[in-house]
Amino acid sequence: MEMTAVVLHEGALAHYNVVINDDGRCVARLQKYNGRSETAPPRQLTLQKERRRWVADDRYKDLSDELGYAIELKAKPILEGRNRFGGHPAG
């Protein structure tokens, strides 16, 4: 599944294209950043949910959590819809 997630980073919007893999890992690639180049977030993050937190790189804990939360908000209705119709949530 593929989606767009927008988060606030250093006071500016960061737009990520996110691919959710079958194993639950999410690969987020930066598409657009409205802030200064010296405060730009990483161009790519691989996120994975561990218990209640989303983790990627230790330097970007807050960004990982924000991005993970945005992914959950958008993906949850889609994944739940698949479950209602008997499909596999990662399929």
Side-chain angles (χ1 to χ4, degrees):
M1 176 177 18
E2 197 169 319
M3 69 176 63
T4 301
V6 180
V7 294
L8 195 60
H9 176 76
E10 299 291 334
L13 294 177
H15 301 254
Y16 278 92
N17 182 40
V18 181
V19 175
I20 302 173
N21 296 321
D22 291 339
D23 63 1
R25 290 185 186 186
C26 300
V27 178
R29 291 181 180 86
L30 185 65
Q31 297 299 308
K32 180 180 174 185
Y33 180 60
N34 295 335
R36 299 185 332 257
S37 60
E38 58 271 7
T39 61
R43 298 202 54 73
Q44 181 172 315
L45 283 172
T46 301
L47 300 149
Q48 183 171 332
K49 189 160 187 179
E50 291 185 4
R51 296 190 181 155
R52 301 183 78 192
R53 294 198 57 137
W54 285 85
V55 294
D57 188 322
D58 281 342
R59 295 175 292 168
Y60 301 105
K61 286 181 183 179
D62 291 339
L63 177 62
S64 298
D65 269 342
E66 290 293 322
L67 198 49
Y69 182 66
I71 292 166
E72 280 185 299
L73 285 177
K74 289 186 93 172
K76 189 174 181 177
I78 295 167
L79 296 175
E80 285 178 349
R82 287 184 185 175
N83 286 338
R84 274 188 236 121
F85 296 107
H88 189 278

